[in-house]
Amino acid sequence: MQTNTRLVFLVEAAILGAIAFLLDLLTSYIGKMPQGGSISLAMVPVLIMGFRHGIKGGLLTGFLLGLLQTIMGYTTIVHPVQGFLDYFVAFTVVGTGGIFYKQVQNAINPLNKGRLIVYVAAAAFLGSLLRFAAHTIAGAVFFAEFAGDKPVLIYSAAYNASYMVPTFIICSIILVLMLTTSKSLILKRK
């Protein structure tokens, strides 16, 4: 039975990672930034996996998303370290929202909308903040020439906030709507 549970976990991570990649691909045309980055819904499946399986599931799914983006060539990579930060680190850390796994599970069954909204928003905020930090560091180091006479770190933070803040808000709203209407998305079958 243990092997079956592990297999289900891996299959779910793979499927949700692929869905995250497709959502990123579809939504990347909305607000596409010149040096990379866009308003994207890719965080939604990563966080759903975190809500289903905890931080381990979220981290694995985020990593798979970064891997798919890199393999499929939907990246802006100017240096291997920048590519690692912008794709592998940035999308993997979105899965840290899975740290709220128990709180979300407890708020969803029985449904407590107020608590669910708080924990889902907190998870999305944590994942977004860490992803923002990875993108900002990569931008400050590898895209400094675009800052002109502005301080590089402030320029990179402002640039990345321009798409990360809307991404956080939109993903939070979508997750709350999805989970309040269909709690079976994150409840595991016994």
Side-chain angles (χ1 to χ4, degrees), residues 20 52 74 90 114 119 141 156 184:
R52 286 182 62 79
Y74 293 101
Y119 290 125
V141 175
S156 181
S184 63

Side-chain angles (χ1 to χ4, degrees), residues 80-91 131 134-135 137-138 142:
V81 175
Q82 172 267 326
F84 180 73
L85 284 171
D86 268 341
Y87 296 97
F88 292 101
V89 172
F91 291 105
R131 178 180 165 196
H135 288 315
I137 292 166
F142 296 101

